[in-house]
């Protein structure tokens, strides 16, 4: 990203380029904080992550990096002045959250060939997903103790049969369905926010394309 910016300094000019650097700086700080939150939960074996905690983490880890700032930077370059970039934050958050939850679900139910990453890898790594948070609020006391013990161990000591047991409980308590429903709600919110964020942009093929790809964020198939 920095190389692309450097290669286009003559096109953007120093003032606009510096504004883009400011966006990069904020994006990196938010992403690092989000990653630190997630890794801290794994290190400390934190098992009382609420839905709000999870959404705040992915706002920082995923939404700023992959959705909010790319839209802000694109708008900044397209119209370098007279545009409040904060108008895109809500849209990017809703879309990014829907995408991340959908990605977490695919990690459990997708196929490696199409998903492109290890199926069940989030459970092996002990990542605190929305499904895991939901399971920890619904499971029996004995199941919670077993789950906490499993999550307290390093990845190499989590056995496939134990991961299968967690998957069974996620289905038993409707945790995957719960997450998918939240993703659909967030996508609907993103579709509404799209209209507000891009209301001043004239109708065009590009704008229509952006609107059409929103559904792909959670409708990706395994």
């Amino acid at each position: 990203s920095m190389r692309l910016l450097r290669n286009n300094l003559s096109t953007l000019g120093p003032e606009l380029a510096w504004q883009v650097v400011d966006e990069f700086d904020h994006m990196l700080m938010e992403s690092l904080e989000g990653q630190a939150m997630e890794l801290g939960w794994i290190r400390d074996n934190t098992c009382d992550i609420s839905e709000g905690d999870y959404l705040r983490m992915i706002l920082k880890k995923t939404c700023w990096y992959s959705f909010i700032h790319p839209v802000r930077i694109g708008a900044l370059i397209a119209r370098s002045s007279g545009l409040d970039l904060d108008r895109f934050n809500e849209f990017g958050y809703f879309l990014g959250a829907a995408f991340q939850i959908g990605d977490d679900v695919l990690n459990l139910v997708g196929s490696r060939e199409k998903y492109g990453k290890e199926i069940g890898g989030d459970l092996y790594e002990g990542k605190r997903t929305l499904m895991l948070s939901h399971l920890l609020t619904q499971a029996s006391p004995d199941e919670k103790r077993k789950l906490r013990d499993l999550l307290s161990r390093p990845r190499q000591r989590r056995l496939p049969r134990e991961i299968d047991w967690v998957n069974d409980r996620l289905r038993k308590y409707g945790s995957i369905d719960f997450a998918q429903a939240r993703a659909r709600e967030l996508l609907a919110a993103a579709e509404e926010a799209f209209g507000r964020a891009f209301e001043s942009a004239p109708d065009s093929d590009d704008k229509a394309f952006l609107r059409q790809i929103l559904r792909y964020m959670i409708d990706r198939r395994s």
Side-chain angles (χ1 to χ4, degrees):
S1 299
M2 294 299 293
R3 185 178 300 115
L4 287 171
L5 177 60
R6 187 171 62 247
N7 292 342
N8 285 277
L9 282 176
S10 60
T11 301
L12 299 176
E15 182 176 351
L16 179 54
W18 191 249
Q19 289 178 283
V20 174
V21 169
D22 280 342
E23 295 290 318
F24 281 171
D25 181 68
H26 183 258
M27 174 183 70
L28 289 169
M29 290 303 300
E30 293 287 349
S31 300
L32 288 170
E33 288 179 7
Q35 290 281 2
M37 289 174 65
E38 182 174 58
L39 293 173
W41 292 341
I42 296 171
R43 179 199 62 196
D44 299 336
N45 196 28
T46 305
C47 292
D48 58 351
I49 304 302
S50 68
E51 182 176 351
D53 294 331
Y54 169 83
L55 290 172
R56 181 167 178 264
M57 184 271 289
I58 62 173
L59 166 63
K60 290 178 169 292
K61 175 192 168 188
T62 302
C63 300
W64 281 109
Y65 181 83
S66 297
F67 293 88
I68 301 174
H69 273 298
V71 175
R72 287 171 61 100
I73 292 170
L76 181 63
I77 292 172
R79 192 185 300 177
S80 59
S81 61
L83 186 62
D84 178 14
L85 297 179
D86 289 343
R87 69 190 294 175
F88 300 106
N89 294 357
E90 182 183 54
F91 165 70
Y93 164 65
F94 289 141
L95 184 59
F99 173 86
Q100 184 61 66
I101 293 171
D103 195 67
D104 292 346
V105 169
L106 277 180
N107 188 266
L108 294 175
V109 304
S111 67
R112 180 158 189 159
E113 292 75 17
K114 294 182 180 179
Y115 177 56
K117 292 185 280 187
E118 177 187 25
I119 300 303
D122 288 350
L123 291 176
Y124 278 104
E125 293 175 18
K127 288 186 177 181
R128 271 47 176 179
T129 62
L130 186 59
M131 291 85 74
L132 192 61
S133 170
H134 180 268
L135 176 59
L136 283 162
T137 65
Q138 300 298 314
S140 70
D142 286 343
E143 289 170 329
K144 289 178 184 177
R145 282 193 291 271
K146 185 173 180 179
L147 188 52
R148 287 193 187 98
D149 175 69
L150 174 63
L151 294 171
S152 71
R153 297 184 232 142
R155 176 189 170 117
Q156 61 270 25
R157 291 183 55 206
R158 295 175 187 146
L159 303 176
R161 67 171 181 272
E162 295 175 314
I163 298 302
D164 290 342
W165 177 83
V166 178
N167 265 313
D168 288 342
R169 295 307 178 276
L170 288 168
R171 287 165 172 78
K172 172 184 175 181
Y173 289 104
S175 300
I176 295 174
D177 292 338
F178 171 81
Q180 290 174 323
R182 281 290 184 268
R184 288 191 292 270
E185 291 170 3
L186 286 160
L187 180 62
E191 289 174 327
E192 288 187 14
F194 179 90
R196 296 189 293 273
F198 292 92
E199 62 183 353
S200 64
D203 290 336
S204 66
D205 290 342
D206 293 329
K207 184 176 179 179
F209 173 75
L210 284 175
R211 186 186 294 276
Q212 289 168 3
I213 66 170
L214 298 187
R215 284 276 159 190
Y216 173 74
M217 294 297 100
I218 64 167
D219 284 347
R220 295 171 297 153
R221 293 292 182 254
S222 59

